[in-house]
Amino acid sequence: MTNDPAANYYVAQAMKPLDNPDAQTLRVVKLASSLATLCSGASLNKKALYAYMTQTRFAEIKGKAYNEAAFLADSTFRYFDYRALAHLCAGSAYLFGPNGHLAPGLLKAGKGKPKMSYDPENPFITLPPLARRS
């Protein structure tokens, strides 16, 4: 596996911006935090995450706009499976490393592989949905 989007379909898909900028912000935050949790040795840079959230005005996404953005962001992870996770772990440095192309510095890249082992009986990985706001 590689972190080059030309050879890694999942990294290329993660690089494509969503039409809704609020949904894009939520998707980037969810992807970075998911990879920090699920990839071996990876960790979230909370200071960089806070800076990213401030820069993208994350706190200003409220009410119906937040709920619509959360729905769109969550829908990009609908069929998230072990194969997608493995490819995204391999490309995490490209996406979120110090010179990251999606959001620089959000993630300290680890070993480039998932923490869990592959389960052929259930390859899908359920990610918790973004909390809805009222």
Side-chain angles (χ1 to χ4, degrees):
M1 282 179 253
T2 178
N3 58 1
D4 177 16
N8 188 328
Y9 170 80
Y10 299 98
V11 170
Q13 289 301 110
M15 291 295 298
K16 287 184 183 176
L18 298 175
D19 292 335
N20 181 327
D22 293 340
Q24 176 65 16
T25 297
L26 295 178
R27 181 179 75 160
V28 167
V29 170
K30 181 173 181 169
L31 180 59
S33 60
S34 296
L35 293 180
T37 303
L38 299 172
C39 296
S40 181
S43 63
L44 197 59
N45 180 342
K46 292 183 182 181
K47 192 173 186 179
L49 178 62
Y50 180 76
Y52 175 80
M53 291 170 78
T54 302
Q55 175 189 4
T56 58
R57 300 182 350 252
F58 182 88
E60 295 176 20
I61 308 170
K62 297 182 180 186
K64 185 178 178 185
Y66 178 89
N67 290 339
E68 288 174 3
F71 175 79
L72 290 172
D74 280 338
S75 68
T76 63
F77 296 99
R78 185 169 295 143
Y79 300 108
F80 195 70
D81 62 2
Y82 188 86
R83 180 181 178 139
L85 175 63
H87 281 83
L88 288 169
C89 285
S92 63
Y94 181 85
L95 296 170
F96 300 114
N99 299 318
H101 291 81
L102 191 57
L106 286 188
L107 211 61
K108 176 190 160 271
K111 298 177 182 178
K113 61 182 186 175
K115 285 182 183 176
M116 65 188 77
S117 59
Y118 177 68
D119 179 6
E121 297 293 320
N122 186 14
F124 289 99
I125 299 168
T126 305
L127 298 177
L130 292 163
R132 302 298 190 259
R133 296 181 181 172
S134 50

